[in-house]
Amino acid sequence: MRIFTSKRLLLSAALAGLLGGCAPAEPVIAGLPPAPVTASGETQPVGTGKADAADDPAIWVDPANPRRALIVATDKKAGLHVYDLTGKDLAFTKGGLVNNVDVAGDIIVASDRNDGVNAHLAVFRLDPDKPAITPLGRASAGTGEAYGLCVQRSAPGAQITAALIVKDGTVRVGTLTLAEGAQPAFAVQWEYKIPTQSEGCVFDGDTLYVGEEDAGIWRLVPNGTTADATLVAPVDNERLVADVEGLATIDHKGERYLIASSQGDNAYAVFRLPGVDYVGRFAVAAGDFGATSETDGIEAVAGNFGAAYPDGIFIAQDGDNAPDAQNFKIVRWDRIAAALGL
């Protein structure tokens, strides 16, 4: 969400009125030089054109065939798309204002913003063979506007651990229960309030990383009904430039890495876990499929997905896919790893 830029534009407009139209130029902030990589593919555009519509991707990996994967992604003004790794749009289901999305087994969970006062989790089932998405219902998740969303990457049974990020920075982690013939239910286990607007999140075991857009990345470790919180990667205009948006993790050569969308300068920062040690930055540069800019959601997964993606996948929302509607760019992970010397 491009709130940081919007605030600056509003301030410039106000100053222009006071100064008779002579507003100061908006400063351009760039972090440390990113290593350039190019995309190997892209999805077809989302259905909503001429708007900030594409938002967040997730990756489903076939448990019976780990070389096969599908991309589930949000058009946050309309619903959910399913793409294959060539970027072909295979299926769509209406969901209205669904913002962030994640998958656990064949269950898709999205943050549901259709009610701006009361948060919900929208739950769907993926039939990967058709493919098709079937709505299973909505789970109430307390007051506030639902915004960020992530689930633990574990095979789901009747319960899934999910984190919902309310737009004001309230983090609610709890159990999403699915029962045949009943609406999904969400029971909060612990809650923590981050100071300002937050969205991106990702689990690493029980530890949750959350992006506070103007401040940086928080590490939340559950402690009873709340969490011990540490700002582990602040916005410093070197590694991270606000807004901090999507977060993802990926395993590579026995190490786990945390990736963050540094939206303010169209780059991605990479940190080694568990110490959140900075290792470098990269950008998706112009190539056969174009560069990425103003990225909201990202996702990454390790694995061999054939000749096109032999060592994993990184996916980034592209905020400017002109002249077409927004879409998602797909990058070979081995290109990123090589560019950063991992």
Side-chain angles (χ1 to χ4, degrees), residues 4 9 14 29-30 65 72 91 96 134 151 154 164 183 188 199 203 228 233 244 259 266 286 301 330 336:
F4 183 73
L9 291 175
I29 300 173
N65 177 12
V72 180
T134 302
V151 302
S154 58
L164 176 73
Q183 284 289 310
V188 176
E199 182 178 4
F203 280 99
D228 297 325
V244 176
I259 312 167
N266 304 323
V301 64
I330 314 170
I336 298 169

Side-chain angles (χ1 to χ4, degrees), residues 212-224:
E212 183 182 6
E213 295 188 1
D214 287 350
I217 302 172
W218 289 83
R219 178 170 56 206
L220 303 183
V221 179
N223 184 0

Side-chain angles (χ1 to χ4, degrees), residues 56-58 72-74 80 99-103 108-111 149-150 299:
D56 191 43
V72 180
T74 56
L80 294 170
N99 202 60
N100 282 17
V101 66
D102 210 345
V103 296
I108 300 169
V109 187
S111 55
L149 181 283
C150 55
E299 184 59 289

